[in-house]
Amino acid sequence: MLIANWKSNGSKAMAKNWFNKFFEKYNFKNEETFIGIAPPFVYIEQINILKKSNINTGLQDIEPFSGARTGAISADMALDLECCFSIIGHSERRELYKESNNQIKEKIINLDNKIIPILCVGETEKENIAGKTKQVIQNQLEIIKDYELHDLFTVAYEPVWAIGSGKTPHAEEINEIHKFIKDVVQSISTNDLVPDVLYGGSVTHKNASSFFNQDFVDGALIGGASLDGSIFAEIVNIYNGTKNK
Ligand code: PGA
């Protein structure tokens, strides 16, 4: 699974240009790979027209309920525009908008299997240096304890200090954390789900293969490098060459 997180970037012109560059570079051989684009919601309809069938659209954040929730995009609206996944609990939502674990839990447990949740977890640099990475992640995952998860429930391991910084943990460290996340989710969810775990944080076409070569890395959540259609296509091609030979 490869997800492009455009964050609050883009324009109608950028979206058109993005797909031209993407399709020029994308190698169509492995269509079973889940490719998702999470643009700002206002561009979803345009992207639905520009994309091809094996590319999915999704949200960067979601509100499970419709109604009196000013400014929020509800799950029903997402479904209406054929979105099938949503990023939830991104560290920018946690930091800039003060989203708590409890609010993130409300989103995940109220989606009722309608939308695939991609839950972001990860430690700050300070927590990493203090050796608290697993403890922080365990705490962030506790929100799904005793819940039956969507079959495609996915976790993105995104160390906060790696996002947009050009720094990443070593591939082997990422692999170890991914294994830990799979074990924790399996042990606390009622359906014993072993989720796919994506890595996110400064992934580019230059370092992607080192991550995809790891057994427990099931894909990537890509921010900055996903804004160029050609580079994102290259990362998808590298993934297909490594995982879906
Ligand atoms: P980045 O962002 O690839 O620019 O580091 C990843 C993310 O925030 O999901």
Side-chain angles (χ1 to χ4, degrees), residues 98-234:
K98 309 288 172 246
E99 262 184 34
S100 66
N101 270 336
N102 254 347
Q103 285 168 298
I104 293 164
K105 172 179 176 169
E106 288 303 304
K107 293 182 185 186
I108 292 191
I109 65 176
N110 287 303
L111 279 181
D112 293 337
N113 270 344
K114 289 182 190 165
I115 299 271
I116 303 166
I118 302 179
L119 171 65
C120 297
V121 298
E123 79 288 0
T124 62
E125 186 150 41
K126 207 166 151 199
E127 291 161 342
N128 182 281
I129 291 166
K132 291 186 176 157
T133 299
K134 287 186 178 167
Q135 197 184 316
V136 169
I137 291 173
Q138 169 105 35
N139 187 37
Q140 289 169 332
L141 290 173
E142 284 294 317
I143 61 170
I144 49 137
K145 191 171 160 65
D146 298 333
Y147 283 100
E148 180 156 344
L149 297 168
H150 188 298
D151 289 348
L152 297 176
F153 171 83
T154 300
V155 179
Y157 170 47
E158 298 209 309
V160 179
W161 53 276
I163 295 175
S165 66
K167 295 189 279 185
T168 70
H170 292 296
E172 294 74 21
E173 287 166 349
I174 293 171
N175 200 41
E176 187 192 327
I177 297 295
H178 282 211
K179 167 87 172 64
F180 173 74
I181 291 170
K182 284 171 187 275
D183 289 347
V184 172
V185 174
Q186 184 181 27
S187 69
I188 65 178
S189 60
T190 52
N191 46 337
D192 303 329
L193 186 95
V194 180
D196 273 1
V197 183
L198 316 179
Y199 170 69
S202 295
V203 175
T204 69
H205 55 308
K206 295 193 177 132
N207 60 16
S209 73
S210 69
F211 307 133
F212 299 154
N213 272 318
Q214 302 295 321
D215 287 348
F216 299 109
V217 175
D218 304 305
L221 176 53
I222 302 151
S226 79
L227 293 175
D228 181 320
S230 158
I231 290 180
F232 185 67
E234 213 171 309

